């Protein structure tokens, strides 16, 4: 009984999130919102003509590929080296989503290395995904 109480006491000293992170658990954090002054300055467009359009299956395929390529728990600030920190931010990627047929969607992530550092080169950066209509990764290269 004393050992159980000692074990529970020790475990309570370890942050729960850190311990759960080792077992693949990730808690989704809500996105930041700008102050109301910034929101007041926004005017939404009258039309979305010319915008990119993804249907539900394409959106799910993009989400699956994004979560596989850069999982939500990967934070740029935690990585060593400015080039790897740069590659861990979505704003430094170009993304293409293409439906090949009803049950096959391709997603391509290619980094914009010019945003990372002058002369920075990573030969195997980026990825291509083949995702089926159920949101399963069929292949990745």
């Amino acid at each position: 009984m004393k050992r159980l109480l000692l074990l529970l006491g020790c475990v309570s000293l370890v942050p729960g999130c850190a311990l759960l992170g080792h077992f693949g658990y990730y808690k989704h954090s809500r996105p930041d919102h700008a102050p109301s002054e910034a929101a007041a300055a926004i005017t939404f467009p009258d039309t979305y003509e010319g915008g990119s359009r993804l249907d539900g299956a394409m959106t799910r395929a993009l989400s699956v590929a994004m979560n596989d390529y850069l999982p939500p728990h990967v934070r740029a600030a935690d990585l060593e080296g400015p080039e790897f920190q740069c590659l861990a931010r979505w704003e430094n990627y170009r993304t293409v989503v293409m439906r090949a047929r009803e049950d096959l969607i391709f997603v391509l992530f290619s980094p914009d290395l010019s945003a990372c550092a002058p002369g920075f080169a990573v030969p195997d950066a980026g990825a291509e995904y083949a995702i089926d209509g159920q949101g399963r990764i069929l292949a990745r290269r």
Side-chain angles (χ1 to χ4, degrees), residues 19-36:
L19 184 61
L20 291 174
H22 293 290
F23 297 110
Y25 174 79
Y26 175 77
K27 182 181 179 202
H28 175 74
S29 60
R30 298 190 54 85
D32 293 332
H33 287 262
S36 57

Side-chain angles (χ1 to χ4, degrees), residues 1-9:
M1 183 64 168
K2 287 181 183 179
R3 285 186 182 181
L4 178 61
L5 290 175
L6 180 62
L7 178 63
L8 288 174

Side-chain angles (χ1 to χ4, degrees), residues 63-75:
S63 176
V64 166
M66 287 177 72
N67 286 331
D68 184 70
Y69 187 70
L70 279 179
H73 68 275
V74 172
R75 294 177 12 146

Side-chain angles (χ1 to χ4, degrees), residues 29-88:
S29 60
R30 298 190 54 85
D32 293 332
H33 287 262
S36 57
E37 304 85 51
I42 298 297
T43 303
F44 282 93
D46 293 329
T47 178
Y48 284 87
E49 189 68 33
S52 301
R53 299 186 186 277
L54 302 177
D55 62 28
M58 293 171 80
T59 302
R60 178 175 45 189
L62 177 59
S63 176
V64 166
M66 287 177 72
N67 286 331
D68 184 70
Y69 187 70
L70 279 179
H73 68 275
V74 172
R75 294 177 12 146
D78 295 340
L79 300 176
E80 292 199 23
E83 53 281 334
F84 295 108
Q85 291 175 356
C86 180
L87 288 172

Side-chain angles (χ1 to χ4, degrees), residues 54-128:
L54 302 177
D55 62 28
M58 293 171 80
T59 302
R60 178 175 45 189
L62 177 59
S63 176
V64 166
M66 287 177 72
N67 286 331
D68 184 70
Y69 187 70
L70 279 179
H73 68 275
V74 172
R75 294 177 12 146
D78 295 340
L79 300 176
E80 292 199 23
E83 53 281 334
F84 295 108
Q85 291 175 356
C86 180
L87 288 172
R89 288 191 213 82
W90 280 117
E91 60 267 22
N92 298 323
Y93 284 86
R94 294 185 185 109
T95 303
V96 178
V97 179
M98 183 181 77
R99 181 184 292 280
R101 51 180 203 255
E102 188 63 29
D103 62 342
L104 180 60
I105 299 164
F106 292 103
V107 178
L108 170 67
F109 299 124
S110 57
D112 179 5
L113 299 177
S114 67
C116 295
F120 180 57
V122 178
D124 59 349
E128 290 179 85

